[in-house]
Amino acid sequence: MDMDKYEIFKKDVNRLINIDLDYYKEKQMKRRISSLLTRNNFKDFDDYFLGLKEDKLLLEQFINYLTINVSEFYRNPSQWTVLENNIIPALIDNNKRGLKIWSSACSTGEEPYSLVMMLSNFFPLKDIKVLATDIDEEAMNKAKVGLYSEKSLANLPKGFKEKYFTRIEGSYKISDEIKKCVEYKKMDLLKDRFPTNIDLITCRNVMIYFTEEAKELLYSKFYNSLNDKGILFVGSTEQIIMPEKHKLKAAKTFFYEKIV
Ligand SMILES: C[S@@+](CC[C@H](N)C(=O)[O-])C[C@H]1O[C@@H](n2cnc3c(N)ncnc32)[C@H](O)[C@@H]1O
């Protein structure tokens, strides 16, 4: 792919979404974007940019791809509503002994802490345990500190901010009682052994970095990791094309149930 097209692409992207790719390592970024556009069947940067302008999901995928560690509480809030109103109650019905929950690319902790806060609507905190794993130890160290920007809290349901955060200068610190419910462990999704007997796995906004082959491997590992009727919750650009092939079925959009 020639250089000029990438220069133009960078300017166009900056105008469209206000992300300046000049701030990113050029060689790596160019290579990564090239592989992303090829995977999405575009032929070059021009062609891809036209796609980005027209297709919101494609644009979201692109932004996620650029912002590797970025997370927020209750990311894609409507999916968390489905989780709270449909998925969790069904899991509880199926399973009287409490739920085993795993946030599998937890980054800086917003996702596992959101899970704990949501579960606090169903169980006392002392009975809640969420396993949180990531390949990036530095991100998990930030999670353990638990200091967040106001912006990352924007989608939190009413009441949680006051109940579980303390304001420290410009940031918000999550309370120890929430932190205590999360156990962090380093894990590479593509190489390490998975925990078993899990009722709910979240794997969100990480599979976009992976090849088709890697994703196939991951689906089968998740299948083995889940309890019967357990649920895999994926990110908003990560729907599984043929879930039945992996003995999963769509319980709701973005939620896949293990077929018994
Ligand atoms: C965009 S964050 C997603 C955070 C959260 N799940 C969310 O949706 O907001 C992606 C995370 O995936 C992690 N990651 C990338 N490759 C991984 C791998 N092979 N195994 C485990 N985690 C990985 C990164 O370190 C990063 O923290």
Side-chain angles (χ1 to χ4, degrees):
M1 251 163 260
D2 69 74
M3 190 66 205
D4 294 347
K5 284 197 172 170
Y6 187 59
E7 288 300 326
I8 296 166
F9 179 79
K10 284 192 292 189
K11 289 200 174 68
D12 286 339
V13 165
N14 202 1
R15 231 171 286 128
L16 185 67
I17 53 173
N18 204 19
I19 292 181
D20 190 347
L21 294 174
D22 279 328
Y23 287 124
Y24 293 78
K25 283 183 194 153
E26 173 100 3
K27 203 171 141 213
Q28 186 191 350
M29 188 51 83
K30 196 176 164 193
R31 182 168 36 86
R32 292 181 69 229
I33 297 173
S34 299
S35 92
L36 180 65
L37 73 86
T38 312
R39 239 192 287 156
N40 280 296
N41 299 320
F42 290 94
K43 68 178 193 316
D44 59 20
F45 288 115
D46 292 352
D47 193 20
Y48 186 44
F49 185 72
L50 291 177
L52 292 178
K53 273 205 301 196
E54 275 160 24
D55 183 340
K56 267 188 131 170
L57 271 184
L58 194 71
L59 185 64
E60 199 180 329
Q61 180 199 46
F62 175 65
I63 295 170
N64 282 346
Y65 198 74
L66 298 180
T67 52
I68 305 179
N69 267 145
V70 169
S71 190
E72 61 191 43
F73 291 90
Y74 276 71
R75 186 172 191 168
N76 309 114
S78 58
Q79 293 161 29
W80 287 79
T81 306
V82 174
L83 180 65
E84 177 157 17
N85 293 344
N86 303 89
I87 304 290
I88 299 281
L91 286 173
I92 291 173
D93 272 353
N94 277 329
N95 190 332
K96 304 291 177 219
R97 54 152 181 76
L99 302 180
K100 265 183 92 177
I101 299 200
W102 173 27
S103 165
S104 78
C106 65
S107 190
T108 40
E110 292 86 338
E111 184 178 281
Y113 293 142
S114 298
L115 288 166
V116 172
M117 286 185 271
M118 171 176 291
L119 289 165
S120 75
N121 292 335
F122 297 88
F123 304 102
L125 283 176
K126 69 170 179 45
D127 294 339
I128 299 172
K129 262 270 153 293
V130 172
L131 170 66
T133 65
D134 199 283
I135 197 172
D136 182 350
E137 277 185 298
E138 208 142 300
M140 286 190 291
N141 286 337
K142 285 192 192 151
K144 290 176 197 165
V145 174
L147 215 48
Y148 298 99
S149 69
E150 173 140 39
K151 197 170 151 250
S152 74
L153 272 63
N155 293 324
L156 269 186
K158 267 208 181 88
F160 282 159
K161 187 152 99 179
E162 298 70 23
K163 198 165 175 193
Y164 294 125
F165 291 83
T166 342
R167 183 120 207 216
I168 298 181
E169 287 163 15
S171 304
Y172 287 83
K173 189 158 172 60
I174 193 141
S175 76
D176 287 343
E177 54 176 344
I178 296 291
K179 271 196 215 167
K180 266 192 232 156
C181 302
V182 178
E183 180 196 3
Y184 289 98
K185 264 192 197 156
K186 184 178 174 183
M187 192 187 294
D188 182 340
L189 288 170
L190 300 172
K191 293 191 188 137
D192 292 331
R193 277 174 67 119
F194 283 6
T196 50
N197 298 109
I198 308 290
D199 298 299
L200 172 68
I201 299 172
T202 59
C203 185
R204 308 185 68 223
N205 303 298
V206 60
M207 288 188 278
I208 44 167
Y209 306 113
F210 298 157
T211 61
E212 284 309 313
E213 226 180 350
K215 281 191 272 188
E216 302 266 309
L217 167 74
L218 210 49
Y219 300 146
S220 83
K221 287 175 82 178
F222 283 140
Y223 176 87
N224 290 324
S225 187
L226 284 169
N227 278 329
D228 289 351
K229 295 193 166 187
I231 294 282
L232 170 65
F233 177 18
V234 302
S236 64
T237 58
E238 297 171 323
Q239 276 163 283
I240 304 175
I241 311 293
M242 287 205 298
E244 292 75 17
K245 196 174 143 197
H246 311 282
K247 292 189 268 177
L248 297 167
K249 69 172 183 203
K252 294 269 174 197
T253 323
F254 310 113
F255 294 90
Y256 297 92
E257 182 184 311
K258 173 168 173 164
I259 298 174
V260 193

